[in-house]
Structures are given as C-alpha cells and as structure tokens.
Amino acid sequence: MILITSPKPRNDQTEAVQIAAFRSWRRAFPNAAILLYGDVASWKEEMDSLVMQAAGPLTKGMAGGEVIRDMFQDATKRGVGQLLLYLNSDILLDDSAVKVVEKLRARPGPWLGSARRWCLPKWSDVVPESELEWRSFFNSAEKSGRWGEACALDIFLFCGLSFERMPPFFIGHRGWDNWMIYHARTLRIPVIDMSNEMRVIHCDHDYSYAKGNSAPSRRDGPLEEANLQMLGGEERLFHLGHATNELNHGKVGQRRGWSPLQRNLELWQTQHQEQSWWWRPIRRIFHPILKLWQARTTQAENWNLRSRVISNL
C-alpha cells in the first residue's frame, strides 16, 4: 500500500498538525510506503524519523501554483496493483482507517473511495507520541468534532484508476477533488462513501498556505478560477452525495433513496447538455416539486443530524 500527499508550507500554523498527521499515518500503517511530493526540504527530520520518501517536485504553473496531476500519475505508476491512499497533509487517521483498508483491499478495481471529514477547531494540542496520548486525543476528537460537508474531500482511497485525462489542476484550490468523483461517475466507476466506517480528522484552518488567494480567510483568485474552468463549471462540483455505493457494517452496498436518484439526474444532465432544449423547460415547469426534492436531499446529506459513532470503532 502507498500513501501520498503534498505537504503545506511549514510555518507556525501548519507545522504541528502536519507532524501529528504524519505520525498518525505511520502509526496506522507501519509497513506502508509514504510518498511526499512537492517542496519537502523543510520536512527532512520527519521524513527520516517516520521513514517517508521524497517522491519529486510538482510542475509549477501560473502564479507558482503546483499541479496535483503529477502526483497521481506518478503514484499510480509506482503502485500498479496496489491500493493507494491520497491524504491532505493535515488529515489525521485513527484505527478505523486500518479496518477500512483491510475490508477493501481485495476488492478488484477500478474503484474510488472517500469519506467525510470529522472537523475539529484549530490545532492547539501537543503532538501525541505515546499510545496513551493517541487514545486520549481520539477520544477527545470524537466528543468535540462535527461532520464536515460532503463537498470537502481530503482523502481518496483507490485502486485501478488512470489519471491520464486529469486536467492540470492546482493543488490547494477547489475543483480537483470534485473532478475525481465526477470523472469516476462519467466512466461508471464505483464511488464508495466510506464515511460510516472511517474517521477522517481535520482541524479548521485558514488558506494562507495556498497561492493566489486575496486574503487568508478566502479561497478565490486566478488559481481558483482556473481550476473551476478546467473542471467545466460549478455544475460539475460533484461530492460524496454523488457516490454510487457506501461502506456500511463491513459491506459495500448500493446507495438507494431519493438523494442518489437526484444526484444521478444531475449527472445525466451534465452529460446531455445538447438535449437541454427539452429538459430545461420541463425542469422549469416542475420547479416547485424539484425544490422540495432538493430540500429533502439536502437534509438527507446533512450528516450532523446523524450519530457521531463510527461503526468500526
């Protein structure tokens, strides 16, 4: 198995949480290869102590933005036939990640999995070291966290995918992660929502690390616009609501109900824009009904109305 990431620039705001993340990965997967892409010179001490490898630089485009496609293309060549796990560099993993990987390891590809974030306030803890400290941190996280939105995708577990058709998206800006789900759906590749069984811990932060934003609290600017243009528009901002399957009680099953039905209709519409001359007028006629349907879908996809319990733990 191979874990891949591109670290954020090292500074007072990003250092501790990323060190904690790296340690949590090695704790969960002691024998996995961990590859770091991009500018990793400032992380040499952690790379040596946690046996992580520098995998090479990422191509730089406009405004110095790094192209994330390089990472996925290189990793899939290195990991033919293996499971690959992409993680944002500030995501912490607990024991549930190990159990999910074991359940999906034998599943033949191609497939793509992701999970909702479990959101905490900004990182303020001492980086855990002992097993007792890790257990204390995870127990505290379960009590103080909240479910993140379906569109915020910070991890991808996958097998048998190709990234030759991936546009040169800029890392640190929205759109590329939504493309992952949109592209898989257009190719009829199963997309698995693993949120029921995998805790993906994320701490709130600003966006000062990402190039091109107008302010630390904003995600805007030319790189953000470039990603959205390469994606093909906001209607392609697909998310976990568009997953075809879900992992629940150790089994991968088909998602059913009104919510998946609406998301499948959205996919069909994006793929049949040339026929909008007839389905757009129909959609306007049924707008009141569709609005109620949307409200029902929004409620169904609001996981903060659900349990905090991860079934794996």
Side-chain angles (χ1 to χ4, degrees):
M1 181 178 175
I2 300 177
L3 282 64
I4 61 174
T5 194
S6 178
K8 295 177 173 65
R10 188 168 189 156
N11 57 45
D12 291 343
Q13 294 186 49
T14 65
E15 180 181 50
V17 68
Q18 290 187 91
I19 292 174
F22 298 154
R23 288 183 182 177
S24 77
W25 305 351
R26 184 51 77 201
R27 173 186 175 275
F29 300 104
N31 299 317
I34 302 179
L35 306 182
L36 273 59
Y37 290 83
D39 185 0
V40 300
S42 61
W43 298 101
K44 187 179 185 309
E45 180 179 346
E46 287 71 31
M47 291 169 64
D48 290 342
S49 64
L50 297 172
V51 195
M52 303 187 295
Q53 305 172 38
L58 299 175
T59 301
K60 292 189 177 181
M62 60 184 293
E66 293 181 310
V67 177
I68 197 169
R69 177 180 63 187
D70 297 356
M71 181 195 314
F72 285 98
Q73 291 182 347
D74 180 75
T76 52
K77 291 176 182 176
R78 293 174 186 248
V80 175
Q82 298 188 57
L83 279 187
L84 289 101
L85 176 59
Y86 165 82
L87 296 140
N88 276 14
S89 61
D90 55 0
I91 290 296
L92 287 86
L93 299 178
D94 63 12
D95 297 336
S96 64
V98 181
K99 297 175 183 178
V100 165
V101 166
E102 289 306 310
K103 290 172 182 176
L104 295 177
R105 188 183 296 276
R107 183 180 179 88
W111 54 266
L112 173 70
S114 189
R116 287 174 182 252
R117 304 189 307 196
W118 186 250
C119 299
L120 304 180
K122 286 187 176 182
W123 182 269
S124 59
D125 294 314
V126 175
V127 177
E129 294 189 24
S130 69
E131 188 61 24
L132 183 62
E133 289 173 336
W134 277 113
R135 293 293 176 190
S136 176
F137 170 76
F138 291 138
N139 289 337
S140 175
E142 180 180 354
K143 296 174 183 176
S144 61
R146 67 187 190 280
W147 288 110
E149 297 179 348
C151 60
L153 306 168
D154 285 353
I155 73 109
F156 289 103
L157 180 67
F158 56 95
C159 178
L161 298 185
S162 170
F163 295 93
E164 295 304 313
R165 293 169 58 186
M166 186 179 194
F169 292 113
F170 295 109
I171 195 168
H173 298 273
R174 69 170 180 159
W176 74 264
D177 47 351
N178 310 102
W179 176 90
M180 296 278 282
I181 292 182
Y182 174 76
H183 183 63
R185 289 300 315 270
T186 60
L187 297 180
R188 298 187 177 182
I189 292 172
V191 177
I192 305 169
D193 185 348
M194 308 180 298
S195 306
N196 277 318
E197 303 214 0
M198 185 172 180
R199 179 94 71 193
V200 177
I201 300 174
H202 173 267
C203 295
D204 289 342
H205 57 74
D206 63 24
Y207 301 102
S208 58
Y209 63 87
K211 295 182 180 296
N213 293 329
S214 62
S217 61
R218 298 177 64 87
R219 298 184 70 178
D220 57 9
L223 299 184
E224 198 84 6
E225 294 175 4
N227 271 12
L228 188 59
Q229 185 175 5
M230 286 186 280
L231 176 65
E234 292 191 355
E235 66 273 10
R236 295 185 180 182
L237 287 169
F238 276 36
H239 49 70
L240 280 171
H242 296 89
T244 59
N245 300 79
E246 60 184 357
L247 180 63
N248 202 10
H249 300 295
K251 297 182 179 180
V252 177
Q254 196 81 15
R255 292 185 67 234
R256 302 187 185 281
W258 287 103
S259 174
L261 184 60
Q262 178 178 340
R263 299 310 185 188
N264 288 337
L265 178 60
E266 290 173 355
L267 174 64
W268 185 90
Q269 290 174 345
T270 62
Q271 293 180 307
H272 296 84
Q273 289 294 326
E274 76 283 355
Q275 298 183 39
S276 63
W277 61 270
W278 66 264
W279 58 254
R280 285 187 187 277
I282 294 177
R283 192 172 67 177
R284 283 195 291 269
I285 293 172
F286 289 97
H287 176 71
I289 297 175
L290 293 175
K291 193 171 182 179
L292 291 174
W293 188 4
Q294 177 65 57
R296 185 171 181 177
T297 297
T298 300
Q299 183 176 24
E301 293 177 357
N302 180 5
W303 276 47
N304 282 303
L305 301 176
R306 301 192 183 194
S307 170
R308 291 171 170 262
V309 176
I310 296 290
S311 59
N312 255 337
L313 298 174

